[in-house]
Amino acid sequence: RSQLRSELDDLTRRLIDQAIEARTNAHAPYSGFAVGAAVRSADGRVYSGCNIEISSYGLTIVLSASLYSLPGLRGGQKLEAIAVIGPQIENTAIWPCGACRQAIWDLAPDASIYTATPDGRVE
């Protein structure tokens, strides 16, 4: 369901804002596809991360590896919400890649997932 960022509750807007901020740290010199994400644990803590590309594609760090390697999440914290922000493609927000979707399914199957476009539409 698509809605405007301004229509969301404060916690969700802040989560999206942190994903937007994390995206500024992405390193994507080969694809130009910078992605940021933020996750909120059940205790209210927010962790953020971004993709990091290197010339050996197999060693590239996608969001799932970036986020799930954080100390707070390694302890088994339950995640309640995830925001993913990347480049807008034909007026559509991007969604997590297959590897990230699998990590979400395995580690946070009940988490809400939000993705947003630069113009403020959220799905």
Side-chain angles (χ1 to χ4, degrees), residues 27 29-30 52-60:
H27 180 71
Y30 304 102
I52 302 170
E53 293 179 354
I54 59 173
S55 58
S56 173
Y57 183 74
L59 298 176
T60 291

Side-chain angles (χ1 to χ4, degrees), residues 41-107:
S41 63
D43 69 0
R45 293 184 199 180
V46 175
Y47 304 92
S48 61
C50 59
N51 62 322
I52 302 170
E53 293 179 354
I54 59 173
S55 58
S56 173
Y57 183 74
L59 298 176
T60 291
I61 299 173
V62 296
L63 286 174
S64 59
S66 172
L67 293 174
Y68 292 114
S69 67
L70 295 170
L73 300 181
R74 284 196 310 255
Q77 292 227 20
K78 182 177 180 193
L79 300 182
E80 63 179 24
I82 302 167
V84 179
I85 309 298
Q88 182 173 322
I89 301 174
E90 297 179 8
N91 297 324
T92 303
I94 61 109
W95 285 90
C97 73
C100 293
R101 286 179 190 218
Q102 187 63 54
I104 292 167
W105 179 256
D106 289 347
L107 301 171

